[in-house]
Amino acid sequence: MIKRLALIAALVSAPLAAHDEADTIDTKLAQQVSEERLRADMDQIVRFGTRHTLSTQTDPERGIGAAVNWALDEFRRIGATCDNCFEVQSVERLIQPDGRRIPQPTLIRNAVAIQRGTQRPDEVIIVQGHYDSRVTDPLNGTDDAPGANDDGSGSVMILEASRILSQQEYPSTIIYALLTGEEQGLYGARILADWVEEQGMTVKAVLNNDMIGNSCGSDGFCDPDHVRVFSEGLRADSTAQLRARQRRFGGENDSPGRNLSRWLGDLASDHPAGMQVRQIWRTDRMGRGGDQIPFLDKGYPAVRITVSVEDYEHQHQDLRTEDGVTYGDTVDELDFTYLTRASRLNVRALHNLAMAPMPPKVTADAAVRVDTELTWDAVPGAGTYQIFVRRTDESAWREQNPEGTLGEEWANLLVTSAQAGPLSMKVPLRGDDWLFGMAACNGEYCSPISSAVPGGAYEPVEQPEGDSE
């Protein structure tokens, strides 16, 4: 039986709880990010000479084997500071030759630390970056490949975030992952995505940080104030049935990844002195890819966080100087102030995501009526639900809601309910003209918005038996 609820119309469009920004917990945690520690970790990982996936796995001081062993040990050291709150493991698989970038059987090892949630341990947020590096030839596992920005920057951020957030307890689980095999074909991410699926985990968000350490591009243009967040539009795990429903009811711009990107943008704008988000509404850069893609393929909400502008002379390059131009992904080309600010954005996001409930799964019934009925399943850990709207041609959810169909005034509403089971609410707007979304809230912590459209739920799309898509 669907439980129908009364609207609470006393709230305005301001945040759920007003705080002095300097006093918020996420601000205090973000300020703990240490540029000195980021530099020290970076110096350590480039000392391995190369972290190429095809480099030696037996040398104790050089190559990917030594690098992954050090990362696992570092996660153990961090876990020891929080009463062994980390489950540390190498999530790995032997990959057979693929005729492309894996020429011989190769062990792909990911260094993973799991900080279990206290209330919903199977509900996870994954923060990841790829730990491997490369030079010009993707099969060259011998020459020095410092991989400072690509992706030492994401890797040291993850280590630093784990140090800070391990001192807190969260309802949801955080997984910190340093992946290898990215430059050979996203293998480490595929292995981790498979493992997460095998564990039966519910994925709230995947933040893939790949190159977050420089602020100037190859053309000399600099932007020290933004990161780009890439998000998919149409879902990678879509089916013919879902596409047919989206043609009728919308959802082309409302995938979970797209709404996760909007959430990150809003979180950044709430802290105007910090790193801001420039949303890029495509899955990844032109002709390229990253470790968020294997998670998207499985239907998990995932985004790529990366530099605002790319410096192509200092990624995927042999170390050399030609015509007065220095090439190579070296530490001296990093902007550590930028990396520190990008790391602080990640710490804020992880804290808020781990405190918030899952986004609700919500549907809208607006056929042949002047209002819209929203129906959703109650979310574990949620005490309130916030309704959002935007016109079909608007890109962002409105901060202030429009007048109702009959001119009613209504606020940016919260629905308060501790009830279990399906819940329902009527909104005084014609569904033909509006898109609807909902966030689940635990006090001041609200989830990303889930859109009331086909494919809007933060869960994999059910695949028809025998469907190869």
Side-chain angles (χ1 to χ4, degrees):
M1 177 180 179
I2 293 178
K3 300 177 178 65
R4 303 184 187 278
L5 306 173
L7 293 174
I8 298 176
L11 292 173
V12 295
S13 60
L16 295 180
H19 298 285
D20 183 332
E21 180 181 333
D23 292 333
T24 61
I25 296 175
D26 63 348
T27 293
K28 293 178 180 177
L29 293 171
Q31 290 304 316
Q32 293 179 31
V33 172
S34 166
E35 181 177 324
E36 182 180 0
R37 288 195 298 263
L38 292 170
R39 287 180 178 272
D41 285 340
M42 185 67 71
D43 288 343
Q44 175 59 52
I45 65 175
V46 300
R47 286 194 191 104
F48 294 113
T50 178
R51 303 186 307 281
H52 195 285
T53 301
L54 302 180
S55 63
T56 176
Q57 301 208 30
T58 57
D59 190 310
E61 296 183 355
R62 180 179 176 85
I64 191 62
V68 173
N69 288 340
W70 176 83
L72 290 167
D73 287 342
E74 189 63 20
F75 277 140
R76 293 186 187 102
R77 284 189 285 269
I78 295 168
T81 69
C82 57
D83 194 24
N84 294 317
C85 68
F86 283 176
E87 300 170 25
V88 179
Q89 57 183 290
S90 174
V91 178
E92 59 189 52
R93 184 187 303 160
L94 183 66
I95 301 298
Q96 298 301 319
D98 63 1
R100 186 171 172 265
R101 293 189 178 183
I102 301 290
Q104 65 269 342
T106 301
L107 181 64
I108 305 292
R109 301 168 66 212
N110 300 319
V112 174
I114 306 166
Q115 182 178 349
R116 291 286 180 184
T118 58
Q119 298 176 22
R120 302 181 299 278
D122 291 332
E123 179 183 294
V124 303
I125 302 100
I126 301 169
V127 58
Q128 63 181 30
H130 75 85
Y131 197 39
D132 58 311
S133 61
R134 58 164 283 193
V135 289
T136 305
D137 180 358
L139 295 179
N140 182 345
T142 304
D143 291 347
D144 282 353
N149 190 36
D150 187 15
D151 182 31
S153 60
S155 299
V156 299
M157 179 279 292
I158 290 164
L159 290 169
E160 180 68 353
S162 74
R163 292 189 186 100
I164 294 167
L165 298 176
S166 63
Q167 305 306 306
Q168 309 291 315
E169 289 188 346
Y170 292 103
S172 302
T173 291
I174 303 175
I175 296 178
Y176 309 92
L178 303 183
L179 309 175
T180 65
E182 192 268 357
E183 303 289 9
Q184 308 312 112
L186 312 183
Y187 281 104
R190 296 182 197 282
I191 292 167
L192 184 62
D194 287 345
W195 180 83
V196 166
E197 183 179 43
E198 291 163 3
Q199 303 303 307
M201 293 175 169
T202 298
V203 179
K204 187 186 299 179
V206 179
L207 306 183
N208 182 49
N209 283 262
D210 191 346
M211 296 192 299
I212 58 169
N214 73 275
S215 56
C216 294
S218 297
D219 56 1
F221 178 78
C222 299
D223 180 2
D225 297 321
H226 295 84
V227 290
R228 291 177 295 169
V229 175
F230 285 80
S231 63
E232 71 174 5
L234 297 176
R235 297 183 60 134
D237 64 335
S238 186
T239 63
Q241 182 183 35
L242 175 57
R243 289 191 291 272
R245 293 181 63 214
Q246 287 179 329
R247 287 185 65 192
R248 295 186 61 197
F249 301 110
E252 305 90 340
N253 196 23
D254 284 84
S255 69
R258 185 60 46 82
N259 275 325
L260 177 59
S261 176
R262 290 184 175 108
W263 181 90
L264 282 166
D266 289 342
L267 177 70
S269 64
D270 287 340
H271 303 275
M275 185 69 80
Q276 298 300 297
V277 165
R278 184 151 57 88
Q279 296 189 54
I280 308 297
W281 284 356
R282 51 170 46 107
T283 301
D284 211 310
R285 301 148 301 157
M286 298 294 287
R288 307 178 73 183
D291 280 335
Q292 75 280 10
I293 292 176
F295 290 87
L296 293 170
D297 289 343
K298 288 186 177 294
Y300 299 138
V303 295
R304 177 196 178 110
I305 302 172
T306 193
V307 293
S308 182
V309 288
E310 290 192 41
D311 183 355
Y312 302 115
E313 284 73 40
H314 300 101
Q315 59 176 266
H316 296 182
Q317 295 284 352
D318 291 339
L319 302 180
R320 68 193 192 281
T321 300
E322 292 182 358
D323 300 325
V325 177
T326 301
Y327 294 84
D329 191 358
T330 53
V331 174
D332 59 299
E333 296 294 336
L334 293 178
D335 180 344
F336 276 95
T337 298
Y338 183 91
L339 174 55
T340 300
R341 298 179 73 221
S343 299
R344 288 174 175 159
L345 174 62
N346 272 272
V347 167
R348 287 187 193 278
L350 291 167
H351 170 77
N352 282 276
L353 285 167
M355 289 297 296
M358 279 292 296
K361 180 179 181 180
V362 57
T363 59
D365 179 5
V368 197
R369 54 193 295 174
V370 298
D371 61 5
T372 300
E373 185 167 23
L374 302 179
T375 303
W376 68 100
D377 293 328
V379 176
T384 55
Y385 303 89
Q386 191 169 9
I387 298 168
F388 293 86
V389 302
R390 71 180 201 271
R391 283 198 179 276
T392 60
D393 61 346
E394 292 177 337
S395 60
W397 298 104
R398 291 196 173 198
E399 294 184 358
Q400 293 183 330
N401 285 342
E403 289 186 348
T405 301
L406 302 178
E408 308 97 319
E409 292 186 5
W410 61 293
N412 201 9
L413 300 173
L414 279 183
V415 177
T416 301
S417 176
Q419 297 171 325
L423 306 172
S424 179
M425 178 66 58
K426 290 182 180 179
V427 177
L429 292 172
R430 290 182 172 90
D432 289 346
D433 302 336
W434 298 91
L435 290 166
F436 301 87
M438 183 175 290
C441 303
N442 166 26
E444 65 187 272
Y445 296 103
C446 288
S447 72
I449 294 169
S450 178
S451 294
V453 297
Y458 283 57
E459 63 183 19
V461 174
E462 184 176 354
Q463 300 293 313
E465 188 174 349
D467 192 344
S468 61
E469 293 184 300

